[in-house]
Amino acid sequence: MGSTYRINEIFYSLQGEGFFTGTASVFIRFSGCNLECPFCDTRHEEGTEMSARGIIEAISPWPSPHVVLTGGEPSLFIDRELVEALHGDGRFIAIETNGTNPLPEGIDWITYSPKQFWLPEAEPAITECDELKVVYTGQDLSRYSAIKAAHRFIQPCDTGDGDRNRKLIEESVEFCKRNPQWRLSLQTHKFIDIK
Ligand code: SF4
């Protein structure tokens, strides 16, 4: 019998953040995370066990090949069987990970969002990625310079405090102007109130 995967939700929307902003994407959200970041709004503990075949059937109505494995922390759940099933279905597999667990081979796009600044125990298990996406709360960004990444994004944290958010956005804009190898990532799905 094949593996099952604990899924919180599967939905179709546009990617709101980072390199693929605006891209129609199938989101597969796994349940739960090994970390407890202070700003987290996506731990999503509830879930249903699904097989790879069940997942493929669930996403069949949606035409975009772009699949985003997200969470929670998807690396706690995924394996080669799921990667092969998604590739067999013609999908491009992107993952959003906190980088604390090794990933199975074959993922097409790794978006790594390091969390060790807030949680010392969040030691990285990966050192390179396609896209580095740093949630910015005012930390010194030179700490990320050793990470190999084809694309670097700074994403001002949504703190829930309008004044603090504005300050973080201003600092992020100035940082990108001084460091043009970095780009600004905004949570555009929140602006237009889509999932
Ligand atoms: S790694 Fe992501 S999902 Fe996990 S607690 Fe931190 S922000 Fe939330």
Side-chain angles (χ1 to χ4, degrees):
M1 207 177 100
S3 309
T4 60
Y5 309 90
R6 198 164 166 76
I7 303 294
N8 175 265
E9 61 177 344
I10 298 179
F11 62 98
Y12 191 46
S13 187
L14 302 186
Q15 172 59 279
E17 311 175 0
F19 185 86
F20 285 105
T21 295
T23 303
S25 305
V26 177
F27 289 85
I28 302 175
R29 188 187 297 290
F30 294 82
S31 300
C33 185
N34 56 330
L35 302 181
E36 290 190 35
C37 300
F39 45 77
C40 182
D41 55 4
T42 56
R43 290 196 86 231
H44 298 303
E45 298 292 344
E46 284 118 47
T48 309
E49 293 291 330
M50 292 179 74
S51 65
R53 190 169 164 183
I55 291 170
I56 298 299
E57 279 170 16
I59 69 177
S60 64
W62 300 314
S64 174
H66 195 89
V67 167
V68 181
L69 307 179
T70 189
E73 177 47 51
S75 66
L76 300 174
F77 306 93
I78 60 171
D79 61 9
R80 205 180 169 108
E81 182 184 334
L82 183 60
V83 169
E84 286 175 0
L86 288 165
H87 279 159
D89 194 45
R91 307 286 177 162
F92 176 93
I93 307 172
I95 189 168
E96 297 178 334
T97 179
N98 63 28
T100 55
N101 297 294
L103 301 174
E105 280 178 28
I107 306 274
D108 300 299
W109 186 271
I110 299 170
T111 301
Y112 170 31
S113 187
K115 299 297 190 304
Q116 204 173 19
F117 174 72
W118 303 278
L119 301 168
E121 72 274 20
E123 281 199 32
I126 61 174
T127 53
E128 55 188 293
C129 57
D130 298 285
E131 174 181 13
L132 175 65
K133 187 169 67 182
V134 171
V135 177
Y136 178 63
T137 60
Q139 73 270 39
D140 178 359
L141 292 150
S142 64
R143 65 183 291 121
Y144 305 109
S145 48
I147 300 169
K148 286 190 202 143
H151 307 275
R152 291 175 184 271
F153 287 90
I154 176 173
Q155 183 168 292
C157 185
D158 181 2
T159 63
D161 171 337
D163 289 339
R164 177 130 194 261
N165 284 1
R166 262 187 297 282
K167 185 165 182 292
L168 292 174
I169 291 167
E170 280 167 21
E171 288 177 5
S172 300
V173 168
E174 289 308 313
F175 177 79
C176 290
K177 286 158 76 178
R178 286 196 309 276
N179 300 276
Q181 73 276 29
W182 286 79
R183 292 160 63 190
L184 185 67
S185 172
L186 298 173
Q187 294 183 295
T188 59
H189 50 292
K190 293 187 178 176
F191 304 165
I192 56 174
D193 199 22
I194 61 169
K195 200 160 182 176

